[in-house]
Amino acid sequence: NQYRGMQAGGKEASAIGSLRAIAAAQWQFALTCGNMKYATVLPDLAKPVPATGEGFLSPDLTAADTFEKSGYIFKMVGKPLEDGRTACNGAPVAEGYAATADPARPGVSGQYYYGVNPDRVLYLDEQGTYTENLGESGAAGHGAELR
């Protein structure tokens, strides 16, 4: 049905926008607060920075480690550094991260699976998820770059 296709397209556009916002927030976090390291979980991007009292990402994208928004399930992981270093807001930091968005109902809420890491290249795949299999840096092992 044409309406359902348009609806899924809107949800995909929302997912892409959300992943771009996460990548931008991670870059700002690394530059200003993380000493060129990244947050390990999404809620840490909401923690306020002492200098400004502001976080890096809106509450709708930082409510939980994994959450659903606009028909997509979002998740971000980063392996905390073993030396226990933290960012200016007290959050543990990682060398990299992998943020992913999977359709909550594949084929209905969205056709594509998405992922992004510190390289800030957005990947998409129609066949399978990037959750648990996108490296915390470097190119994705499947799918294509979103242009």
Side-chain angles (χ1 to χ4, degrees):
N1 143 340
Q2 194 173 8
Y3 173 73
R4 189 175 298 163
M6 286 175 17
Q7 205 175 17
K11 292 175 193 256
E12 288 168 355
S14 174
I16 291 166
S18 294
L19 276 183
R20 285 191 171 135
I22 291 167
Q26 278 282 41
W27 181 240
Q28 283 302 316
F29 177 92
L31 284 177
T32 62
C33 184
N35 202 17
M36 294 315 292
K37 305 289 182 243
Y38 298 94
T40 60
V41 291
L42 287 165
D44 286 347
L45 289 170
K47 287 183 180 174
V49 173
T52 64
E54 300 290 319
F56 294 90
L57 199 54
S58 58
D60 64 322
L61 297 175
T62 55
D65 290 349
T66 302
F67 64 91
E68 186 175 332
K69 179 185 177 210
S70 300
Y72 269 79
I73 297 168
F74 291 84
K75 182 175 185 171
M76 186 187 80
V77 294
K79 184 177 181 283
L81 294 179
E82 290 183 19
D83 64 12
R85 270 185 278 175
T86 59
C88 71
N89 65 357
V93 293
E95 288 292 342
Y97 68 92
T100 56
D102 292 345
R105 297 190 356 256
V108 178
S109 64
Q111 193 82 23
Y112 296 99
Y113 299 83
Y114 299 99
V116 69
N117 63 24
D119 300 347
R120 296 194 311 244
V121 173
L122 204 59
Y123 297 100
L124 78 158
D125 195 327
E126 219 172 335
Q127 306 303 313
T129 182
Y130 290 102
T131 304
E132 309 299 332
N133 69 30
L134 176 62
E136 292 185 19
S137 66
H142 60 91
E145 292 183 16
L146 181 66
R147 297 277 175 209

